Amino acid sequence: MDGLANELEALNRASSVRRLLDSASIPDRPGYILRGNRALLDLCSNDYLGLARHSAIAEAMRDSLLTEGAGAGASRYVTGNFPSYGLLEKALAEWQNREAALVFANGYMANVGVIGALASRGDVVFSDRFNHASIVDGIAISRTEHARYRHNDMEHLRFLLNKYRDKRRKLIVTDAVFSMDGDRARLTELVALKMEYGAMLMVDEAHSGGIYGQRGEGLGHELGLENDVDIHMGTFSKSFGVYGAYVCGSNTLIRWLVNKARPLMYSTALPPSVVAGIAKSLELVRTEHWRRERLSAASRVFRSSLIEAGFNVGSDDTPIVPLLVGDNDRALRFSIALEEEGIAAVAIRPPTVPAGTARIRFTLSASHTVNELKEAAARIRGIGLRLGVSDSCNGS
Ligand SMILES: *Cc1c(COP(=O)(O)O)cnc(C)c1O
């Protein structure tokens, strides 16, 4: 264990060590968290639509707990397949206008399960360099060829598609909205390329589900491409405010996954109360369009305030707003200063992002008001001036 302690000390010296900080929710104060005994404006949760503390979801979960019990007791292949699973999957397929859907325990397991089921030795997975770590791990576990293309670089992807054109199965995977940069994938071009090269296309809608589309279906729907995406994956842990994930697509895809996805086979089914919470949340996501409108207004106001203050925060319209800082130490000091000013947001450092592009990652929520965000932007501007962070801190 001495070797581990020494390596941890080296990480600490490079401002790269990670710690787990306590954060508690505050009843009746959405958009804030409690750290120590202070309320902080929460600009780092993924609760985009402000549903994580919705009373109707909590009540649905409580009712299920009292009638169905705490745990499923087994995997879905044994006795854990409560009727509520099938009903939820039917509702998901209907919502997405696809043939079938399948629920997974979480997004990480969905990505590992799907990629592991679709690709193995002799195949190739084309993956954007900025894709989520669960996609990277899914590719590693599947032992398939990993063809990483430069972020959103369609020419590089085309080059790799040509290079591996003789592989058996080809799968292109992308985040719809990239989690650390808050920009969108070029889905229209990806669809054209997958058709041209006879590849499958998988889109991870973790940060776009609930946010885009008339009923929150995701970015694919927003662009009218839902039927061109072979594998649509989404999570219930972010916009839905609960926990879990799903995949939808053709009947063949779902039947294949039921037979091949190891995280589904070798793990206990989600607790029925979580399924009940997801089902209630799905109703709210579909019907309460005002939450998407509030989120979109919050994102616009916050982003433009930071741009006016002279920061480099990218130019997209998503609720993920990265403020490029550059070096690790300054990013850490920035996040500490934010906390002192009553704002919770984390410093994101390598290896999560490329070296030299450490950043503060802000995420917005429908719970935030325009005034709160303008005020926060003013405080962020003050910190930037003190620490010498400005638009010239260009990263990627
Ligand atoms: C959060 C996230 C996941 C993992 O989802 P969990 O349900 O939290 O395990 C997968 N992909 C992307 C792009 C994510 O942002």
Side-chain angles (χ1 to χ4, degrees):
M1 300 300 275
D2 285 350
L4 304 186
N6 291 340
E7 285 196 33
L8 277 170
E9 191 38 47
L11 281 177
N12 193 24
R13 281 195 301 274
S15 297
S16 293
V17 87
R18 288 153 200 256
R19 291 189 179 83
L20 299 173
L21 299 173
D22 281 345
S23 319
S25 66
I26 311 173
D28 305 322
R29 209 158 168 214
Y32 286 80
I33 54 158
L34 197 65
R35 181 160 296 152
N37 48 16
R38 292 181 63 212
L40 303 176
L41 181 67
D42 182 0
L43 291 182
C44 50
S45 98
N46 298 317
D47 180 21
Y48 297 117
L49 299 181
L51 290 173
R53 279 175 259 158
H54 197 290
S55 58
I57 297 175
E59 282 157 19
M61 296 180 77
R62 182 198 57 199
D63 291 350
S64 160
L65 269 173
L66 295 178
T67 55
E68 297 178 281
S75 88
R76 293 181 68 186
Y77 299 80
V78 186
T79 54
N81 195 33
F82 288 52
S84 50
Y85 271 91
L87 291 174
L88 173 61
E89 286 166 347
K90 209 163 154 260
L92 288 166
E94 195 270 325
W95 171 52
Q96 289 288 335
N97 199 17
R98 302 301 297 263
E99 284 176 8
L102 185 63
V103 171
F104 282 81
N106 56 50
Y108 188 99
M109 282 164 71
N111 279 338
V112 167
V114 170
I115 296 170
L118 291 177
S120 57
R121 282 203 182 87
D123 301 326
V124 57
V125 178
F126 304 90
S127 169
D128 189 291
R129 196 161 86 86
F130 285 4
N131 275 345
H132 191 260
S134 54
I135 294 174
V136 178
D137 290 3
I139 297 170
I141 286 174
S142 73
R143 286 177 279 215
T144 185
E145 185 83 48
H146 184 179
R148 275 172 111 211
Y149 57 93
R150 287 191 290 268
H151 177 51
N152 265 342
D153 185 336
M154 298 298 109
E155 281 314 302
H156 191 212
L157 173 57
R158 179 184 288 281
F159 167 82
L160 292 170
L161 282 161
N162 275 319
K163 177 170 172 187
Y164 293 108
R165 69 183 317 149
D166 296 330
K167 289 281 185 186
R168 183 182 58 157
R169 276 202 287 267
K170 308 181 201 58
L171 174 66
I172 302 172
V173 191
T174 187
D175 288 9
V177 166
F178 290 89
S179 48
M180 294 301 142
D181 290 70
D183 55 345
R184 300 167 175 221
R186 298 163 72 162
L187 289 187
T188 309
E189 288 158 86
L190 288 169
V191 165
L193 280 172
K194 78 118 192 175
M195 285 175 172
E196 185 178 340
Y197 286 88
M200 300 176 280
L201 176 61
M202 172 173 177
V203 178
D204 176 339
E205 299 258 15
H207 291 286
S208 41
I211 299 174
Y212 296 103
Q214 258 313 304
R215 300 188 300 167
E217 302 95 326
L219 190 60
H221 271 74
E222 173 106 355
L223 301 173
L225 297 171
E226 66 270 24
N227 290 312
D228 299 313
V229 173
D230 301 289
I231 305 118
H232 168 126
M233 174 273 185
T235 65
F236 302 124
S237 48
K238 289 169 179 147
S239 288
F240 278 69
V242 191
Y243 192 71
Y246 68 96
V247 172
C248 62
S250 67
N251 281 324
T252 305
L253 170 73
I254 300 306
R255 279 177 54 214
W256 180 260
L257 294 178
V258 167
N259 281 278
K260 299 285 180 181
R262 294 168 64 88
L264 202 65
M265 300 178 145
Y266 300 111
S267 191
T268 301
L270 272 177
S273 58
V274 174
V275 175
I278 296 167
K280 176 52 76 177
S281 181
L282 175 60
E283 280 177 40
L284 300 170
V285 166
R286 288 171 71 141
T287 55
E288 297 196 340
H289 191 64
W290 62 268
R291 293 179 185 274
R292 283 182 273 287
E293 285 168 354
R294 280 196 61 164
L295 176 66
S296 152
S299 310
R300 265 197 315 275
V301 164
F302 188 67
R303 205 179 281 266
S304 61
S305 307
L306 291 185
I307 290 171
E308 260 171 52
F311 292 112
N312 174 3
V313 294
S315 59
D316 226 297
D317 69 341
T318 71
I320 300 173
V321 181
L323 190 159
L324 261 294
V325 173
D327 73 80
N328 293 357
D329 180 52
R330 205 150 46 147
L332 259 192
R333 282 190 286 138
F334 206 118
S335 74
I336 292 165
L338 283 168
E339 183 155 337
E340 285 164 5
E341 298 268 352
I343 297 169
V346 282
I348 308 283
R349 293 159 285 166
T352 306
V353 293
T357 72
R359 67 199 62 186
I360 303 293
R361 175 178 178 271
F362 296 107
T363 46
L364 301 169
S365 159
S367 307
H368 297 134
T369 67
V370 163
N371 278 343
E372 276 169 346
L373 295 173
K374 283 188 172 161
E375 208 185 286
R379 277 177 274 162
I380 293 164
R381 177 168 183 268
I383 296 168
L385 288 173
R386 258 191 287 144
L387 296 180
V389 175
S390 70
D391 197 9
S392 57
C393 297
N394 268 306
S396 46

